[in-house]
């Protein structure tokens, strides 16, 4: 299941479809629902945080739920509702930043990826590949950064000057 069919939800849908993985997506914007359907995807109108929708869609049977909405409060509400409705289903979520990521994890997300930091890691990984650093080394570096909660790459806040 995908919660949100904006640019990120659409990209996830394309990846799943390319891999032959069936999915259904939900969005509250009728235009996005229509776009998804015209792309041949099963996109339904609805709020992924709505308990009635989760019951009707049998969310408890999902192998995975991906929350792609860009509003932190909406994503947090969705993760909380999902965790209550289907505690055994893994949830991965998009987060604006580290603070939103921490909140989503506290609410029950299995993984929450802060988008700006993840984009930085991808750029850095590409740079390292182009500089001929072995792929296994790059993978270890990236996993280490993620395992440490992104702390090695977080910019330190500067104290205000005098």
């Amino acid at each position: 299941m995908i919660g949100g069919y904006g640019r990120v939800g659409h990209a996830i849908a394309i990846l799943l479809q390319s891999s032959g993985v069936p999915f259904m997506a939900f969005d509250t914007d009728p235009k996005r629902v229509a776009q998804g359907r015209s792309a041949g995807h099963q996109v339904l109108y609805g709020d992924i945080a709505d308990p009635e929708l989760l019951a009707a869609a049998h969310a408890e049977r999902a192998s995975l739920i991906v929350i792609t909405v860009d509003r932190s409060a909406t994503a947090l509400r969705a993760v909380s509702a999902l965790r209550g409705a289907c505690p055994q289903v893994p949830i991965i979520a998009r987060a604006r930043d580290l603070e939103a990521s921490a909140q989503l994890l506290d609410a029950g997300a299995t993984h929450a990826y802060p988008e700006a930091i993840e984009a930085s890691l991808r750029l850095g990984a590409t740079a390292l590949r182009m500089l001929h650093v072995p792929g296994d080394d790059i993978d270890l570096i990236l996993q280490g950064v993620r395992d440490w909660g992104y702390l090695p790459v977080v910019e330190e806040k500067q104290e205000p000057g005098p």
Side-chain angles (χ1 to χ4, degrees):
M1 292 183 113
I2 302 172
Y5 192 82
R7 63 185 167 84
V8 176
H10 174 76
I12 300 293
I14 295 293
L15 293 173
L16 293 173
Q17 183 183 42
S18 310
S19 299
V21 176
F23 66 90
M24 80 174 50
F26 296 95
D27 203 289
T28 57
D29 182 338
K31 289 181 183 175
R32 287 194 203 135
V33 172
Q35 288 170 341
R37 288 181 181 171
S38 70
H41 297 153
Q42 186 179 2
V43 182
L44 306 170
Y45 180 83
D47 180 353
I48 191 92
D50 178 357
E52 290 179 18
L53 177 115
L54 295 175
H58 299 288
E60 74 282 357
R61 295 184 194 163
S63 299
L64 173 69
I65 299 172
V66 184
I67 302 299
T68 67
V69 295
D70 63 353
R71 289 193 178 121
S72 295
T74 303
L76 189 58
R77 190 170 49 82
V79 169
S80 295
L82 287 160
R83 193 45 65 222
C86 41
Q88 77 289 358
V89 178
I91 302 168
I92 57 176
R94 165 191 183 187
R96 276 275 195 224
D97 53 30
L98 277 176
E99 181 180 343
S101 176
Q103 290 173 342
L104 290 165
L105 291 169
D106 287 345
T110 309
H111 297 284
Y113 295 99
E115 58 190 20
I117 293 174
E118 280 293 329
S120 300
L121 293 179
R122 294 290 304 201
L123 287 167
T126 300
L128 292 172
R129 277 188 190 84
M130 292 177 79
L131 295 168
H132 309 291
V133 173
D136 288 346
D137 292 351
I138 296 169
D139 292 342
L140 285 172
I141 292 167
L142 294 180
Q143 194 55 54
V145 168
R146 290 180 181 116
D147 287 348
W148 279 89
Y150 301 98
L151 289 177
V153 296
V154 174
E155 223 179 281
E156 290 184 29
K157 292 186 179 181
Q158 300 296 319
E159 294 295 322

